[in-house]
Amino acid sequence: MKYRKKPVEIEAVQFADDPDTLIKINDVLGLDPVNVSYEDPDNPVLKIPTLEGVMTAQVGDYIIKGVHGEFYPCKPDIFEETYEPSGRSVDGKLLAEKLAVPIKHELDKRSRDAQRRKGFL
């Protein structure tokens, strides 16, 4: 039997080591406190309490707030393949600002969908 993932809307912020992003992580996602470790000054990491314990996010990773209020990090390539902007915004900006441009795999996805409708897949 095959299953399809239900469409779910999430909130996410891409981690960058700057005050504006850290404020967004706190305000938009509600992650409090925002705990950044500078053990390696060239590679700051965000420590995130998750259901499985504390996980770390590197600069560029997305911090996702799940449907039950849980937090977890996600690598950018996986995030871009899995999520697209919902069109909803906070303070006039898309929640997934960086993805406001069509995802690079969107054409492949449309092509596969067209082939499925025609019965080729």
Side-chain angles (χ1 to χ4, degrees):
M1 180 163 291
K2 293 185 178 188
Y3 292 88
R4 180 177 31 203
K5 191 175 187 179
K6 293 179 184 179
V8 175
E9 191 171 284
I10 54 99
E11 292 180 294
V13 174
Q14 191 170 29
F15 175 49
D17 186 31
D18 65 67
D20 290 339
T21 301
L22 300 179
I23 289 169
K24 272 190 201 176
I25 290 171
N26 180 271
D27 291 348
V28 175
L29 299 181
L31 181 60
D32 187 31
V34 177
N35 182 3
V36 180
S37 171
Y38 294 97
E39 291 175 21
D40 176 357
D42 295 331
N43 189 24
V45 295
L46 177 66
K47 295 189 176 186
I48 306 166
T50 71
L51 298 173
E52 289 82 30
V54 176
M55 297 183 82
T56 59
Q58 308 289 327
V59 169
D61 291 352
Y62 283 85
I63 314 316
I64 297 173
K65 181 177 183 179
V67 294
H68 298 291
E70 74 280 13
F71 297 99
Y72 53 95
C74 183
K75 293 294 180 195
D77 56 336
I78 301 298
F79 186 87
E80 290 170 5
E81 288 179 19
T82 308
Y83 299 100
E84 62 187 19
S86 69
R88 296 188 63 184
S89 61
V90 172
D91 296 330
K93 295 183 179 180
L94 283 175
L95 293 176
E97 286 177 36
K98 195 165 186 177
L99 299 179
V101 225
I103 297 174
K104 59 185 170 185
H105 302 295
E106 187 62 28
L107 291 175
D108 290 340
K109 181 180 173 187
R110 289 181 189 163
S111 174
R112 287 192 306 272
D113 289 345
Q115 288 178 344
R116 280 191 191 99
R117 283 194 299 276
K118 293 178 183 176
F120 294 122
L121 291 178

